[in-house]
Amino acid sequence: MKYGIPRGTKDILPAEAKLWQLVEQACREIFALYDYSEIRTPIFEFTDLFTRSIGSGTDIVKKEMYTFADRKGRSLTLRPEATAAVVRAGIENNLISIESLAKLYYLGPMFRYERPQAGRQRQFHQAGVEVFGSADPRLDAEVIELSVRLFEKVGLKDLVVNLNSVGCPKCQPEFRGAIKKHFAQHISDMCQDCRDRLEQNPMRILDCKEAHCQKYLEKAPASLDYLCPECKNHFDQVVGWLGNLGIKYQVNDRLVRGLDYYTKTAFEVIARQLGAQNAVCGGGRYDNLVAELGGKATPAIGFAIGLERVISLITDHQLPITNEGNIKLFIATLGEAATKQGFALLSQARALGISADMDFLGKSLKAQLKNADRLKAAFVYVMGDEEVKKGSAGLKNMATGEQSEVEFSQLITRLK
RNA sequence: GUGGGUGUAGCUCAACUGGUUAGAGCACCAGAUUGUGGAUCUGGGGGUUGGGAGUUCAAGUCUCCUCACUCACCCCA
């Protein structure tokens, strides 16, 4: 093979594309149901937008971005996530303000340079929502409910909502200090990754998977115990509203989100069957990001769903894939005159909204019928040169096998 | 970036400790039915065994390199 596909990318072939359309449609329907409007931002942005918002210390920024210089030497980056771009677009177009609520959703490809594995690609797709303008905990509950309803709609089961609060700039320093203090005494006995994390991002130690480190994690301080009164109150209200909505969740004080901008509520929707990369949805509140990116201080919350992961859950479990017929009419012809006439009828049928096709490979009549069967055509119009003279031909119902004589002029109305 | 596993036909897989012309099922094409699909039968096309080098009388099989895929770590959707 001369040209192969770049690593970490995937062709979505026709059979699977159908499923993608179903999932995307489900997303759009649910988002609309909750009064979210679509926003489409560019695939690339100025690099600074991502380094500022995601955080220069995060892995995404340090080693996972597709960054390149354009012809004028400007540094651009293929978006590794959408939130920063949506915030940028919102500020730039005056969509975001404290006086009004902006509820936006997006759907599209993201890019991160990582080693591919199950549930992780270099180009992957996310659907997500962002709400700007309110710190009301009901919105935290609403977006979580929205994601749960969406998963229900596409038929996914056995998902678990993990919920935590990572605090705000007021309470985070104290918690961070407590973490450092706790692990400092054990760090010499912990894995190399944890040693690095102690300095760089101490909160990440909490979800270390190393068996040897587990015993030190058990007694580690939980962020929930260090929340300031405002954050604590917010978290309690989110929990309360989720209860009212009947949304099941698990408080997970080990849940740490990887992007710097999160405040207060952090949540993930987990599918155990997925393997190591098992989060199908991740999100949370980011009350300071709009201000950090140059807008007026505006609270916000959002989430992103990993569409590849959703798709793989659906295909793994053979969930509802409607497989209706492809076309309504197949025109089978024999001889030059019939082929000419058939091609004209084909065009007429399509013009009137009847999906139709015919043979373009010069195949035998038998092979044409076979092909029509494969295409799941409802009807086949069989015409040879005799029929052209007669002005009528046999219309065969492929389900029953019955064939009746139909004039050319009557064909379309018969199929309508 | 690190570690493990796997690369044979379009797909799923065979080929005993290296041994003759690398096989099968499915799919595809054609015929049986000079102008009618799904079933059956018969025949057919398909491969540089991922690529390169080496060992050997002989390599799909052993060694090394390389590439790709895959799973996991880091991290994330």
Side-chain angles (χ1 to χ4, degrees):
Chain A
M1 201 183 313
K2 192 161 185 183
Y3 297 106
I5 194 169
R7 182 158 218 203
T9 64
K10 219 186 121 208
D11 297 313
I12 297 171
L13 304 176
E16 200 191 344
K18 223 169 189 172
L19 183 54
W20 276 83
Q21 288 171 7
L22 282 176
V23 170
E24 287 166 0
Q25 198 192 338
C27 288
R28 292 180 191 283
E29 280 171 17
I30 286 274
F31 293 156
L33 200 60
Y34 281 74
D35 192 29
Y36 287 73
S37 305
E38 184 178 13
I39 183 168
R40 303 192 188 194
T41 65
I43 298 294
F44 58 83
E45 298 274 351
F46 288 118
T47 302
D48 283 353
L49 176 66
F50 298 122
T51 54
R52 293 258 172 80
S53 59
I54 296 169
S56 55
T58 61
D59 273 29
I60 291 181
V61 169
K62 278 197 300 192
K63 54 182 195 185
E64 295 175 3
M65 295 204 305
Y66 276 94
T67 297
F68 58 97
D70 70 5
R71 286 170 181 273
K72 284 272 173 70
R74 291 170 285 233
S75 181
L76 301 173
T77 294
L78 262 34
R79 62 183 188 191
E81 56 111 37
T83 300
V86 171
V87 171
R88 191 228 84 228
I91 295 171
E92 201 164 339
N93 298 285
N94 290 315
L95 262 40
I96 297 175
S97 85
I98 324 180
E99 289 84 44
S100 68
L101 201 64
K103 302 172 83 171
L104 305 171
Y105 82 84
Y106 59 84
L107 196 67
M110 309 293 159
F111 306 83
R112 291 181 200 171
Y113 189 94
E114 303 178 87
R115 284 287 287 269
Q117 74 182 79
R120 170 189 289 159
Q121 294 173 226
R122 289 182 175 178
Q123 174 172 341
F124 60 102
H125 297 77
Q126 290 186 333
V129 302
E130 316 286 357
V131 190
F132 300 97
S134 170
D136 194 318
R138 278 182 300 156
L139 280 173
D140 303 47
E142 174 177 297
V143 296
I144 292 171
E145 181 198 27
L146 167 49
S147 72
V148 169
R149 299 290 177 242
L150 175 52
F151 292 130
E152 284 171 359
K153 187 179 175 74
V154 296
L156 297 187
K157 295 202 172 80
D158 305 322
L159 300 179
V160 181
V161 175
N162 279 11
L163 182 69
N164 194 17
S165 174
V166 296
C168 66
K170 265 181 276 173
C171 41
Q172 274 171 356
E174 198 186 337
F175 174 55
R176 206 178 300 262
I179 290 274
K180 279 194 173 182
K181 193 174 168 190
H182 171 80
F183 286 113
Q185 45 192 319
H186 308 295
I187 199 67
S188 56
D189 190 40
M190 297 176 74
C191 70
Q192 186 57 50
D193 286 331
C194 281
R195 292 180 200 187
D196 296 340
R197 282 187 281 233
L198 186 65
E199 288 311 314
Q200 290 163 12
N201 195 349
M203 285 170 13
R204 288 234 76 91
I205 297 179
L206 293 178
D207 58 10
C208 179
K209 286 154 194 152
E210 197 69 41
H212 186 69
C213 298
Q214 291 305 311
K215 56 178 177 282
Y216 302 116
L217 301 188
E218 284 166 20
K219 290 178 183 167
S223 64
L224 291 178
D225 296 330
Y226 285 79
L227 296 180
C228 64
E230 185 195 326
C231 288
K232 177 80 173 88
N233 178 47
H234 185 92
F235 182 75
D236 289 343
Q237 288 196 55
V238 172
V239 164
W241 288 119
L242 284 176
N244 284 359
L245 292 172
I247 302 294
K248 287 183 193 147
Y249 62 90
Q250 238 172 45
V251 172
N252 176 0
D253 57 26
R254 300 289 171 76
L255 176 61
V256 184
R257 310 245 62 237
L259 284 54
D260 282 2
Y261 53 64
Y262 285 110
T263 56
K264 293 196 172 81
T265 305
F267 72 98
E268 279 183 1
V269 182
I270 304 292
R272 253 281 150 238
Q273 320 118 60
L274 270 183
Q277 310 305 324
N278 58 7
V280 288
C281 174
R285 186 163 273 288
Y286 47 97
D287 288 341
N288 302 311
L289 183 60
V290 175
E292 276 166 33
L293 291 182
K296 282 186 194 155
T298 308
I301 183 168
F303 67 69
I305 290 171
L307 292 180
E308 276 80 1
R309 294 180 187 178
V310 171
I311 297 276
S312 90
L313 281 172
I314 293 175
T315 48
D316 286 357
H317 296 268
Q318 308 284 325
L319 291 172
I321 304 170
T322 51
N323 200 10
E324 68 271 83
N326 271 332
I327 59 170
K328 182 136 194 199
L329 173 69
F330 190 92
I331 298 176
T333 64
L334 199 65
E336 204 173 314
T339 301
K340 205 170 165 183
Q341 178 71 56
F343 192 53
L345 286 171
L346 180 65
S347 172
Q348 286 170 30
R350 290 165 170 172
L352 291 169
I354 294 168
S355 57
D357 211 345
M358 70 185 296
D359 169 68
F360 290 93
L361 298 173
K363 299 229 177 193
S364 69
L365 189 63
K366 178 190 167 74
Q368 291 184 52
L369 265 292
K370 197 169 183 174
N371 193 226
D373 186 51
R374 235 190 318 246
L375 293 174
K376 294 197 175 80
F379 295 93
V380 176
Y381 201 43
V382 186
M383 51 197 296
D385 291 350
E386 287 172 36
E387 284 83 354
V388 173
K389 284 177 202 151
K390 275 192 298 182
S392 70
L395 183 64
K396 182 166 188 170
N397 181 323
M398 292 296 274
T400 63
E402 289 166 20
Q403 188 165 328
S404 55
E405 196 73 7
V406 176
E407 288 179 24
F408 294 167
S409 57
Q410 294 302 304
L411 177 62
I412 308 301
T413 51
R414 275 291 289 274
L415 293 175
K416 267 278 176 185

